[in-house]
Amino acid sequence: MAKRKEEAPPAGAPAWMATFSDLMNLLLCFFVLLFSMSTVDAQKFELVAASFANTFSIFTAGGQAIGDGMMISNGVSQLNELDSYINSTGKANDSDQEIPKDALEEFEEKKLGESEEVAELVEEALAESGISDEVNVSFNSQYVLLTMNGALLFDSGSAELKKDSQDIMVQVTKILEKYNAGVIEVEGHTDNVPMSGNRYADNDELSSARAITVFKFITANSTINPADIKHSGRGEYVPVADNSTPEGRALNRRVEIKIYNSLSVNQ
């Protein structure tokens, strides 16, 4: 009886080895992904690397790096100058904050100088219009501030412009149109006397309504883009005088117009 011919083993690697190789590749990709998303402590990395080098000679023996970030013979990716890479990570934003003190002072002086120049021009224009006594002018490095007494513009508890104040507002609007650098802010302020028997529930609503009235007057009588004008009601919360006296309360009832300069952070 003839011997049965034995079947030859299948060619190539066993099936389990292909599955195992796929698993190892997936694990490698997984840990590389984790490493790329983690924050590496350079000092600890150096200690671990030194420990491995002394114990197993992983980094001193075997194949050499072909180039930056390329694979070496033992299958491990080498990143040259790891310390420089780690230490430079995230430094772009930090460098923006490390501005020399002299440069900051010089920039602040430049902003202040621009505001002072605009303030002088505004004061000259107010004097020429004959309303310099009605509008107080001050400035800082951010803006030129025009302050008008609330009683000049509005009756008590009202947010409607007085008729005899509209000529003043026309002159102020012309000045704003001529000297604004981009952003204007209108703020309404009141004293701390509670509202009673009025259409407005409190000083917050009254100050907001007055700021909106001035905003609408400016936009209706000038070519200033409404998007460049902000308005807000500050109520009784930013007093400039003592609310315990009639004189102080009169000063606190006011409308402020801020003309921000071209170097201001609000631009």
Side-chain angles (χ1 to χ4, degrees):
M1 186 174 180
K3 269 187 178 181
R4 183 178 178 181
K5 188 177 180 180
E6 295 183 1
E7 295 182 359
W16 68 266
M17 187 174 294
T19 303
F20 183 76
S21 299
D22 290 341
L23 177 61
M24 292 300 101
N25 286 331
L26 288 173
L27 286 174
L28 176 62
C29 292
F30 175 71
F31 285 111
V32 169
L33 179 63
L34 287 180
F35 177 78
S36 67
M37 297 171 63
S38 65
T39 301
V40 180
D41 188 317
Q43 186 176 5
K44 289 183 179 180
F45 180 85
E46 288 178 356
L47 292 175
V48 173
S51 176
F52 272 93
N54 293 333
T55 305
F56 300 107
S57 299
I58 289 179
F59 297 103
T60 56
Q64 299 297 318
I66 301 173
D68 291 353
M70 298 184 66
M71 300 300 293
I72 56 177
S73 60
N74 63 354
V76 180
S77 177
Q78 176 176 320
L79 181 62
N80 290 341
E81 299 180 355
L82 180 62
D83 292 342
S84 301
Y85 173 78
I86 294 173
N87 293 332
S88 65
T89 303
K91 289 295 186 181
N93 292 334
D94 293 341
S95 62
D96 294 341
Q97 300 174 1
E98 296 175 359
I99 302 175
K101 185 178 179 181
D102 293 344
L104 286 175
E105 291 177 352
E106 182 179 352
F107 183 60
E108 194 71 12
E109 290 178 2
K110 189 174 182 179
K111 292 195 298 180
L112 190 62
E114 181 176 333
S115 291
E116 183 176 10
E117 182 179 350
V118 173
E120 291 175 354
L121 294 172
V122 169
E123 287 179 333
E124 292 177 3
L126 290 171
E128 292 175 0
S129 301
I131 59 172
S132 56
D133 293 337
E134 310 295 347
V135 184
N136 181 62
V137 181
S138 59
F139 66 91
N140 58 28
S141 62
Q142 295 291 320
Y143 53 78
V144 175
L145 177 64
L146 310 184
T147 304
M148 292 176 285
N149 191 277
L152 171 70
L153 302 177
F154 307 100
D155 289 324
S156 179
S158 172
E160 184 178 351
L161 278 175
K162 292 181 178 180
K163 289 184 179 180
D164 55 358
S165 69
Q166 294 188 13
D167 290 339
I168 296 174
M169 280 303 307
V170 167
Q171 298 302 323
V172 170
T173 299
K174 290 180 179 178
I175 292 172
L176 295 177
E177 190 173 28
K178 187 175 182 179
Y179 296 112
N180 74 298
V183 175
I184 295 172
E185 185 169 10
V186 180
E187 291 183 353
H189 298 265
T190 67
D191 56 28
N192 65 349
V193 177
M195 301 292 296
S196 60
N198 197 281
R199 61 178 295 188
Y200 301 105
D202 51 36
N203 286 319
D204 294 336
E205 289 188 9
L206 176 61
S207 63
S208 296
R210 288 179 171 179
I212 291 174
T213 296
V214 174
F215 161 77
K216 288 183 176 179
F217 187 94
I218 294 172
T219 55
N221 293 275
S222 72
T223 58
I224 301 175
N225 187 348
D228 293 331
I229 307 178
K230 301 187 292 184
H231 55 82
S232 61
R234 306 302 302 276
E236 63 194 66
Y237 308 112
V238 193
V240 292
D242 188 357
N243 272 312
S244 64
T245 64
E247 295 79 12
R249 290 193 294 272
L251 291 174
N252 290 331
R253 296 189 295 269
R254 68 197 190 278
V255 171
E256 294 181 345
I257 302 177
K258 298 175 180 178
I259 310 172
Y260 286 91
N261 63 50
S262 62
L263 302 176
S264 169
V265 294
N266 281 338
Q267 297 306 308

